[in-house]
Amino acid sequence: MAEPALAVRRKSRPSSVRKRSRVPVRPSAVCSPVARKRPSAGDGGPPAETPCSNDSEEDMFGDFDSFYGNDSLLAQVDDIEHKYLQDKNTDIKAPGDIVLGNLQSGVQQQKQDHFSTSENKTVLKADKEGGFQMNENDPVNSNQELTQSVLDDLPSSQLLYFEKMDELSSGSRIPPVSERRNKCVNSSVDKIRSPSSFCPDAECRTRPNDFSSDSKCDLFKTESLKDHLKSAMTGNAKAQTLQVSKTKQLKEAVLSEEICVARKTIESSSVDIGPFYGLPSKVKDLFRQFRGIETLYEWQHDCLMLESLQQRKNLIYSLPTSGGKTLVAEIIILQELLCRQKDVLMIVPYVAIVQEKVRGLSSFGIELGFLVEEYAGSKGRFPPIKRRIKKSLYIATIEKGHALVNSLIETERIDDLGLVVVDELHMLGEGSRGATLEITLAKILHTSKNTQIIGMSATLNNVGDLQKFLQAEYYTNNFRPVELKEYVKIRDTIYAVDSKTENGFTFSRLLDFKYSSNLEKADPDHIIALVTEVIPKYSCLIFCPTKKNCENVASMVCKYLRKEFKAHREKEKQDLIKNLKNIGHGSVCPVLMQTIPFGIAYHHSGLTNDERKSIEEAYSAGVLCLLACTATLAAGVNLPARRIILRAPYVASDFLRKSQYKQMIGRAGRAGIDSAGESILIVQEKDKHLVQDLVNSPLENCYSNLLLELTKGMQSLLLSLVGLKIAVTQEEVDNFMCSTLLGVQQQLLSKEKSLSEITKDGLENLIEKGLLKGRISEKGHSSKCTLTITPLGKATYKGSIDLAYCNLLYRELKKGLEGLILESNLHLLYLATPYDMISNCSPDWMIYLRQFNQLSAAEQKVADIVGVPESFITKKASGQAIRKNVDSAAVNRLYLSFVLYTLLKETNIWSVSEKFNMSRGYVQNLLNSAASFTSCVLHFCEELEEFWVYKALLTELTKQLTYCVKTELIPLMEVAGVLEARAKQLYNAGYKTLAHLANANPETLVKMIEHLSLRQAKQIISSAKMLLSEKAEALQEEVEELLKVPTDIPGTY
C-alpha cells in the first residue's frame, strides 16, 4: 500500500501575488519533485481563492501548492496535527511534547490514497531550493549516508527545530529508524553550528542558544507545526545574503576540509593518503602555477609512498644532481605544516640558497597560511616567536640552524619542531661546518623523539654510518630527467667515459675546428671549439680552478668569437650593462664590459651580491649563454647548462675530489629544455692516470669532523651540552657522545685515545678556560659530580662564538667599557670585526696612514686604545725599522675596521674597494661576515649583565652592517631577494614601504621597474606579503600575551 510523501518548495514570484491556491494535481506530479505554482490569470487558470489569514500581514506562501492538489501543505499539516493530538493512542510524554516520528506517521496515514510505495519506508529528501520529503523504511544501515547528505542541505532553522523536538521527546518511545534519523539531524546541526569544522579533531565553536526563557516556556505549550514551519521558512526567505563571494567561500571550505581529511589520514598512517599525498588538491595546483610541475617522476611518487615515511621514520635519500630531490622534500614539509600542524626547519649550506628558498616558498605560505622565516647572516630571532595559530617554516644556514635548535631546547620547545630537512647531507664531512651540522642533528635526536629528520644528497657513499647515526631508512635511485654523457678531452681527441672498459675511456670523436697558429697559442685547450658547438643557441658553463682563471677564460673566448654573436639579444645585453653600471654607481668591471656583448660573463666570489644576482638572472633568462665560474657555483644556486666544461681537474691547487666532480657535471642538462646533457673534462697528459682514477672511483666517505675542528667541534658540543642541561655529568656526556657520528665511527677516527678519554680531555680544557665548573674524575672512577656552565660559557655558546676567541672577545669588550669612544662608530666596528678575517688581511701601509690621518682626534684615540700607535703606522709606511712589538692581529683588525667605517659612510662597495686597493668581492665578504659576527657579539653581550651598554649600540650596528644602505631603503631590503640596486629602483618608483610592496600589482611593477620579469615581480610581492604577515603575527602574539590572564593570581583557586 502506498504511503504519502510530503514536499515543500520555495519559488520566486512577483511580490504582488500573495495568495494560497488549491489546484488538482496532474498525473505526472507523482514523478516530479517540483511543487507547482498556480497559473496566472493571463494563462487562463482558475481564479485564486482569498484565504482567511490572521497569520501575518504578509503571507509569503500564498500561491504554493503541494503535490497532491486538494489542500495547501500548511493547511493539511494543521488538520493532521489537530487530529493527531485528539487521538487516544498518541505518544506524548507531557502536554505539548510532540514526538516527531509519530507525527510523521500521522501525516503518512493521511496520504495513503494518493501514493504507492513499499511498506514501512521513510526517506527524507531535500532539494537545493528548500523542499523536503519523507518516506519511511530503508534497512537501518543501507541509506545512512544518503540521509546524512540529504539533511546537510536543509535550512538551519528546520534542522534546529528537529533537534529541539528530538530533545523534547527524549524518554519517549522512538522507533529505531527515527533514532537514526535524529542522529543524522544532530550531526548536520553540528556542521551548521561550526561551518569551519570539517574534521573530527577540529575545535567546534559553541553556538549561542537562540531560545530565551520565555520562548522555551512557549515551546513546551502546544505549538502549531504549521506555524513553526511557516515562520521558519519566512525567516529563511527574509534572511539577508552575506556580501561574500560564494565561490571564495566554497574554495576555502574545500581547502579546509581537505587539510583536515589529510591530517586525519596521516595521523592514522593510512595507505590511502588523499588527493595529493595527504595534501589539499590546491597544493598540486600551486606547484603547477608556481613551478610548472604537472606530474611527479615515478621515483618521487615511490619515495613519497615509502612505508618508512608513513610511519614517520627518519629518511636519507640520494639521487644524482637535477633528479628532483627538492620537490619531494617540499611536499613532506607541506604535509608537516598543514596536516600535522608542526613547525619545520630546513637547513641549506649557503646564504644565497636560503634566500632563494625563502623567495620560492613564500608564495606557498601566502596561499596555504604558514610563515616562512629567514635565518641567515644576521637575520633570525632566538628563540623564534611562539605562534598560536600559524606554523613556521624556518629556512636556515648550518650555523643559524644550530643556534635555532639550541634556543628551542633551552625554552623546552624542541617538540614543536616536527620535521628537520637537511639539504646536501654530505656536508657532514666538510670541516667546521660539518661539525656544526653533526652537533645540531645529534641534539635533535637526543632531545626530541617526535622530530623527524630527512636528509638528501647527490654524493653519499658510506650511507651505513649515516643511517646508524640518524637512525634512518635509506632510499636511492639513479634517475636523471635528462641523460648525462660524460667525456674527457686529451689534446684534440674526445673520449667517452666508460667504466666497462679497462682504462675507463672509449674513443668518441676528434675536434672539428680549424685553428690558426695565433689561436692555437691563445687557446691550447681548444675551449673555443668546445664552446662554439653549443652557444648561443644553448647554454654552457666552464668551471675554472681560480677566480683569475675565470676572468681570463671569459676574455679569451670573446676575443675570438665571430661578430655575429653580438647580435644575439643585443638590446637585453645592453640593458644588463646599464643595470651593472647602476649597481656600481657608474663603474663596471672592464672584463664584463668586454664580455657581456658576446653573451659571456664570469661568476665567482669577487662579484658583489648585486652583480652576482644580475648575472644569474641574465643567464637564467638566456641573455648570457656562457659563464666561466668557480666550483662554488656547483654547490650554490641552480644554474643548469646544456654543456659543462671543466677547465682542469683542480680546485685552486687541490686535485678534484669525486664529490666535487659529480656536483659540477650534475649541472649538465636542463629538464624540459634539453634532450641530453654533456660534460667534458679537459685533461693534460700528466694528469691522465689521476683522472682515470677520478672518474671510475667511488664517492668519498663522509667522516665526522668533531675531532679535526676542536674549538668549533668537540669543545663547542661539550659546552652546549652542559649549558642546555642535556648532559650534566661525565657519564651522561659519554653516553651522548656515543650517539654522534663520531661515536659511530670512533674505531676509525680515534685509534690513539678512546672516545671517553677524548671527552674527558675536552671537559678539562673547558674548565681551565673558565667556561665550565665542576670536577672530572680520574680514569677508572665513575663520577656523579654535576658540571655547571659559567656566565662566560653560557654567553659563548648562545652567541655562537668560536671558543678560540671567546676569552679574547671578553677582554676586549671589558676594556672597551673603560673608555668607549662614541663620537663615531669606529670603536664599535673594531669590536665587531670578525677574528677569522684577520689572517687574510695584508694592509697597504700608505693607505693605512692616509686613512688614519683623515680621522678626527677622538677617532685617532681608538688606535691607541686598541694598541696600534700612530708612530707604528708612520714607520711602517715610511719603511723604517720597528723596535717595539705591536700585536699584528690588532693591527690587521684595525685596518679592516677602517674599511668597514668607510663603507658605512659611503655605502658604495666599488669606491671603497678602489680606495683600499681590494677586490670588491673581498669587501662584500668582509661586510657580510661583520654583520653576522656583530649579531653573534650582541647575543654574547645579552647574557652578561656587565655588558648591558653594548646591547642597544650593537643592535643598531647590526642593522647598518646587514644592509649598508641609506636608512630609507632598509624596509625594502628586508624583503628576501631585494638588494640595493633593486631597492633603489623600487623606492624611486614610489614603493617606499613594505606595505607598498606587499600590495603592489605584479604587472604594474614590471612596467615601472626596469629589468624585472613577471616571475621576479610575483616572488618579490609574495616575499613582502610574507614578511608583513610575519611582523603582524608577531605583534598579535605580543598583544595576546599581554592580555592573557595569569593562572597564578594570589587569592584565586
Side-chain angles (χ1 to χ4, degrees):
M1 187 69 185
E3 288 190 1
L6 187 65
V8 177
R9 182 178 178 118
R10 291 195 297 270
K11 295 183 77 174
S12 58
R13 54 177 168 65
S15 58
S16 59
V17 184
R18 308 190 187 282
K19 303 291 182 181
R20 182 181 292 130
S21 64
R22 296 175 174 85
V23 184
V25 70
R26 298 179 186 179
S28 61
V30 174
C31 303
S32 172
V34 182
R36 299 190 177 275
K37 186 175 176 180
R38 175 182 59 81
S40 64
D43 293 328
E49 290 183 9
T50 305
C52 281
S53 178
N54 298 323
D55 297 322
S56 65
E57 296 176 6
E58 186 175 340
D59 188 347
M60 301 184 70
F61 309 101
D63 64 343
F64 280 80
D65 296 334
S66 66
F67 282 165
Y68 45 93
N70 294 330
D71 294 303
S72 79
L73 169 68
L74 296 178
Q76 289 186 60
V77 167
D78 199 22
D79 292 342
I80 293 166
E81 187 177 9
H82 283 297
K83 289 178 183 178
Y84 176 75
L85 292 173
Q86 293 167 6
D87 193 331
K88 63 180 178 180
N89 294 321
T90 52
D91 186 7
I92 300 177
K93 183 178 178 182
D97 284 2
I98 302 170
V99 181
L100 183 61
N102 292 341
L103 177 59
Q104 289 162 349
S105 299
V107 175
Q108 291 158 0
Q109 285 294 325
Q110 197 66 14
K111 299 176 184 175
Q112 282 181 356
D113 295 336
H114 299 282
F115 291 89
S116 174
T117 63
S118 60
E119 194 175 13
N120 261 346
K121 184 168 186 180
T122 301
V123 175
L124 180 59
K125 270 191 185 176
D127 65 23
K128 290 180 183 176
E129 293 171 298
F132 72 88
Q133 130 182 351
M134 290 181 185
N135 294 315
E136 184 145 35
N137 162 30
D138 257 336
V140 174
N141 295 321
S142 63
N143 255 353
Q144 193 161 354
E145 289 184 9
L146 175 61
T147 309
Q148 172 73 49
S149 63
V150 162
L151 286 167
D152 286 349
D153 290 339
L154 285 174
S156 58
S157 57
Q158 293 178 32
L159 288 171
L160 288 171
Y161 176 73
F162 288 152
E163 183 189 42
K164 182 55 63 179
M165 297 302 290
D166 182 42
E167 291 173 5
L168 294 175
S169 64
S170 60
S172 302
R173 178 175 53 82
I174 300 178
V177 174
S178 297
E179 289 179 5
R180 186 180 79 246
R181 180 168 57 244
N182 290 341
K183 184 177 178 181
C184 293
V185 169
N186 292 340
S187 171
S188 300
V189 172
D190 287 342
K191 290 190 178 182
I192 290 170
R193 284 177 173 174
S194 181
S196 66
S197 192
F198 289 90
C199 62
D201 57 346
E203 292 181 9
C204 294
R205 296 187 185 90
T206 306
R207 183 181 182 273
N209 197 339
D210 293 332
F211 298 95
S212 65
S213 57
D214 291 338
S215 63
K216 282 185 180 177
C217 294
D218 292 338
L219 187 67
F220 279 96
K221 296 173 185 177
T222 307
E223 182 184 3
S224 166
L225 177 60
K226 179 196 78 170
D227 292 342
H228 180 81
L229 287 176
K230 190 166 80 170
S231 63
M233 294 168 73
T234 302
N236 287 340
K238 289 182 176 180
Q240 290 187 350
T241 305
L242 290 174
Q243 298 302 310
V244 179
S245 165
K246 289 187 177 180
T247 305
K248 184 178 179 183
Q249 282 183 322
L250 183 61
K251 284 182 179 178
E252 289 177 353
V254 170
L255 175 61
S256 179
E257 182 173 15
E258 286 185 350
I259 288 175
C260 289
V261 169
R263 190 186 310 162
K264 182 182 174 186
T265 304
I266 282 180
E267 284 171 357
S268 64
S269 298
S270 171
V271 176
D272 180 12
I273 57 174
F276 186 66
Y277 301 99
L279 289 164
S281 53
K282 182 176 182 179
V283 174
K284 186 176 182 180
D285 298 336
L286 293 177
F287 275 114
R288 184 186 298 115
Q289 180 184 340
F290 297 143
R291 306 279 177 80
I293 296 171
E294 294 285 345
T295 56
L296 270 63
Y297 298 130
E298 185 179 349
W299 83 263
Q300 291 172 327
H301 172 77
D302 292 344
C303 187
L304 287 166
M305 297 297 290
L306 287 174
E307 189 177 347
S308 55
L309 274 184
Q310 309 307 315
Q311 296 173 359
R312 286 186 56 75
K313 292 181 180 177
N314 296 341
L315 177 69
I316 299 169
Y317 64 99
S318 177
L319 278 98
T321 303
S322 305
K325 297 185 294 296
T326 303
L327 177 60
V328 170
E330 288 174 347
I331 291 173
I332 297 170
I333 286 169
L334 292 176
Q335 286 174 345
E336 197 69 32
L337 290 164
L338 301 179
C339 303
R340 297 190 185 92
Q341 291 289 298
K342 290 279 190 177
D343 296 328
V344 177
L345 169 61
M346 186 178 196
I347 299 176
V348 297
Y350 305 110
V351 175
I353 304 179
V354 170
Q355 293 170 342
E356 184 183 39
K357 297 291 183 191
V358 169
R359 287 196 302 273
L361 289 168
S362 288
S363 305
F364 287 86
I366 295 297
E367 294 290 335
L368 299 172
F370 61 87
L371 298 172
V372 180
E373 300 186 39
E374 180 181 345
Y375 280 76
S378 61
K379 293 184 179 179
R381 293 173 184 250
F382 301 103
I385 296 171
K386 186 174 176 64
R387 314 284 182 184
R388 295 174 191 270
I389 302 172
K390 289 188 177 181
K391 296 303 167 184
S392 292
L393 168 57
Y394 310 114
I395 304 180
T397 55
I398 292 170
E399 294 75 17
K400 287 292 181 178
H402 179 222
L404 178 65
V405 167
N406 280 347
S407 68
L408 290 173
I409 293 171
E410 186 178 30
T411 53
E412 298 181 347
R413 288 168 50 196
I414 190 66
D415 282 332
D416 291 347
L417 202 60
L419 175 68
V420 175
V421 174
V422 182
D423 195 9
E424 311 295 357
L425 187 64
H426 61 268
M427 290 288 290
L428 276 167
E430 298 190 12
S432 62
R433 307 194 77 215
T436 303
L437 181 57
E438 180 181 345
I439 291 168
T440 305
L441 295 176
K443 286 176 182 173
I444 293 167
L445 287 164
H446 187 84
T447 57
S448 177
K449 303 305 177 188
N450 299 320
T451 303
Q452 185 181 19
I453 296 175
I454 305 289
M456 53 180 168
S457 175
T459 55
L460 288 177
N461 191 28
N462 57 331
V463 179
D465 287 351
L466 300 181
Q467 278 185 268
K468 194 172 179 182
F469 166 46
L470 296 176
Q471 302 153 34
E473 302 287 319
Y474 180 56
Y475 176 86
T476 187
N477 197 303
N478 291 322
F479 173 83
R480 268 185 63 91
V482 177
E483 182 189 2
L484 173 61
K485 298 175 181 177
E486 294 180 51
Y487 299 99
V488 170
K489 187 190 85 66
I490 303 173
R491 295 196 183 92
D492 61 349
T493 307
I494 294 178
Y495 299 91
V497 174
D498 186 356
S499 57
K500 296 175 184 176
T501 60
E502 186 177 346
N503 64 358
F505 303 146
T506 56
F507 174 81
S508 178
R509 63 188 174 95
L510 290 172
L511 277 176
D512 182 21
F513 190 87
K514 293 180 181 179
Y515 269 74
S516 64
S517 57
N518 288 337
L519 183 54
E520 189 73 44
K521 289 176 185 177
D523 182 24
D525 293 325
H526 308 103
I527 291 172
I528 291 172
L530 296 173
V531 161
T532 51
E533 289 178 347
V534 288
I535 66 168
K537 187 177 180 182
Y538 300 105
S539 56
C540 182
L541 295 175
I542 304 176
F543 284 103
C544 304
T546 65
K547 289 184 282 188
K548 188 63 180 171
N549 194 224
C550 290
E551 297 178 29
N552 291 341
V553 166
S555 296
M556 182 272 294
V557 170
C558 73
K559 279 180 185 175
Y560 294 96
L561 285 180
R562 298 189 305 274
K563 302 300 179 188
E564 296 87 75
F565 279 88
K566 282 190 172 184
H568 181 73
R569 302 183 74 162
E570 185 175 7
K571 182 184 181 302
E572 288 145 294
K573 287 185 282 196
Q574 291 303 319
D575 288 343
L576 175 59
I577 291 173
K578 183 181 174 184
N579 188 33
L580 290 172
K581 272 186 182 176
N582 292 335
I583 289 168
H585 300 272
S587 302
V588 180
C589 171
V591 175
L592 291 175
M593 279 290 287
Q594 176 194 3
T595 61
I596 286 175
F598 290 90
I600 300 169
Y602 63 83
H603 184 288
H604 57 58
S605 61
L607 296 169
T608 66
N609 291 344
D610 284 284
E611 287 175 325
R612 193 181 303 122
K613 186 169 172 53
S614 294
I615 288 170
E616 287 168 0
E617 288 173 353
Y619 176 81
S620 296
V623 177
L624 297 175
C625 55
L626 173 65
L627 292 184
C629 52
T630 52
T632 52
L633 181 69
V637 292
N638 187 24
L639 295 176
R642 173 66 173 266
R643 176 174 288 179
I644 302 294
I645 299 170
L646 281 74
R647 174 74 178 75
Y650 291 91
V651 173
S653 58
D654 299 325
F655 194 78
L656 200 62
R657 298 199 315 269
K658 182 62 177 274
S659 58
Q660 292 172 322
Y661 171 71
K662 281 291 187 183
Q663 278 197 318
M664 290 179 189
I665 68 171
R667 297 295 182 195
R670 296 170 297 173
I673 300 173
D674 299 326
S675 57
E678 302 171 331
S679 71
I680 301 174
L681 172 56
I682 299 172
V683 181
Q684 305 304 319
E685 198 67 48
K686 65 182 179 67
D687 293 325
K688 184 176 178 181
H689 293 295
L690 291 172
V691 169
Q692 285 175 339
D693 293 339
L694 172 71
V695 297
N696 294 303
S697 64
L699 289 160
E700 296 86 7
N701 287 336
C702 181
Y703 293 118
S704 171
N705 277 270
L706 287 182
L707 291 182
L708 296 175
E709 300 291 334
L710 199 58
T711 57
K712 289 186 177 180
M714 176 65 83
Q715 291 184 7
S716 175
L717 172 57
L718 296 176
L719 180 66
S720 60
L721 286 180
V722 177
L724 295 168
K725 297 186 171 80
I726 295 172
V728 293
T729 67
Q730 190 177 341
E731 185 180 353
E732 289 175 351
V733 172
D734 286 340
N735 290 337
F736 181 93
M737 292 305 301
C738 290
S739 65
T740 61
L741 181 58
L742 174 60
V744 172
Q745 298 175 334
Q746 59 182 298
Q747 301 299 325
L748 293 170
L749 302 179
S750 54
K751 294 177 181 177
E752 296 178 3
K753 288 184 177 181
S754 69
L755 186 56
S756 179
E757 289 174 317
I758 295 169
T759 302
K760 177 174 170 291
D761 292 345
L763 291 171
E764 287 175 344
N765 189 278
L766 292 172
I767 291 170
E768 285 175 18
K769 286 184 175 181
L771 303 175
L772 290 181
K773 289 179 183 176
R775 183 171 53 82
I776 304 300
S777 65
E778 295 299 320
K779 187 176 179 181
H781 296 82
S782 62
S783 172
K784 298 294 182 183
C785 176
T786 301
L787 298 164
T788 56
I789 195 165
T790 64
L792 177 60
K794 188 176 183 182
T796 300
Y797 92 77
K798 291 197 74 171
S800 301
I801 302 295
D802 188 339
L803 271 64
Y805 307 124
C806 63
N807 285 296
L808 176 60
L809 176 63
Y810 178 81
R811 289 196 301 270
E812 292 191 328
L813 288 169
K814 188 81 172 172
K815 188 178 180 181
L817 291 177
E818 297 170 8
L820 190 63
I821 294 174
L822 295 175
E823 183 179 287
S824 70
N825 55 15
L826 178 61
H827 199 169
L828 270 179
L829 282 169
Y830 175 84
L831 297 172
T833 301
Y835 292 106
D836 54 6
M837 295 288 290
I838 294 170
S839 58
N840 299 326
C841 175
S842 300
D844 182 315
W845 297 106
M846 291 303 296
I847 294 173
Y848 208 147
L849 181 60
R850 190 185 312 130
Q851 291 299 317
F852 181 86
N853 289 332
Q854 290 175 3
L855 299 175
S856 67
E859 289 171 337
Q860 287 181 354
K861 285 181 185 177
V862 174
D864 280 331
I865 291 171
V866 302
V868 185
E870 181 182 0
S871 58
F872 174 81
I873 301 172
T874 306
K875 287 178 181 178
K876 273 287 190 182
S878 60
Q880 297 178 34
I882 307 293
R883 294 178 183 176
K884 186 180 178 182
N885 287 330
V886 176
D887 183 7
S888 61
V891 172
N892 290 359
R893 199 170 184 218
L894 182 63
Y895 187 69
L896 292 178
S897 63
F898 282 178
V899 177
L900 292 170
Y901 179 59
T902 310
L903 194 54
L904 288 184
K905 282 201 298 185
E906 299 184 11
T907 67
N908 184 342
I909 289 177
W910 268 90
S911 65
V912 173
S913 64
E914 289 171 2
K915 194 171 285 185
F916 285 87
N917 196 24
M918 294 174 166
S919 76
R920 61 194 186 282
Y922 181 86
V923 175
Q924 177 76 73
N925 189 32
L926 172 64
L927 180 63
N928 295 342
S929 298
S932 184
F933 184 67
T934 306
S935 173
C936 293
V937 176
L938 171 60
H939 294 306
F940 179 88
C941 292
E942 285 173 343
E943 297 302 318
L944 297 167
E945 288 185 17
E946 60 198 292
F947 294 149
W948 63 271
V949 71
Y950 287 116
K951 293 179 191 176
L953 296 171
L954 290 174
T955 300
E956 186 59 32
L957 185 63
T958 301
K959 186 181 285 189
Q960 290 177 19
L961 289 168
T962 299
Y963 302 110
C964 193
V965 292
K966 293 178 181 177
T967 309
E968 63 265 22
L969 297 180
I970 289 178
L972 299 175
M973 288 190 65
E974 288 180 336
V975 178
V978 175
L979 299 176
E980 183 183 3
R982 185 74 78 208
K984 285 180 179 176
Q985 286 181 309
L986 292 167
Y987 189 86
N988 293 335
Y991 297 95
K992 299 186 177 182
T993 66
L994 190 59
H996 283 147
L997 209 49
N999 293 285
N1001 178 282
E1003 286 81 8
T1004 308
L1005 208 58
V1006 169
K1007 289 176 185 174
M1008 298 183 72
I1009 307 298
E1010 289 184 330
H1011 323 301
L1012 183 70
S1013 68
L1014 184 61
R1015 176 175 166 273
Q1016 290 166 349
K1018 287 179 177 178
Q1019 282 192 337
I1020 286 173
I1021 291 168
S1022 292
S1023 296
K1025 283 180 178 176
M1026 177 57 66
L1027 187 58
L1028 198 62
S1029 172
E1030 187 185 322
K1031 290 187 173 190
E1033 288 278 336
L1035 292 172
Q1036 185 63 38
E1037 298 293 342
E1038 282 188 40
V1039 169
E1040 291 186 11
E1041 193 62 35
L1042 283 170
L1043 298 177
K1044 189 177 176 182
V1045 179
T1047 56
D1048 56 350
I1049 300 173
T1052 59
Y1053 301 99

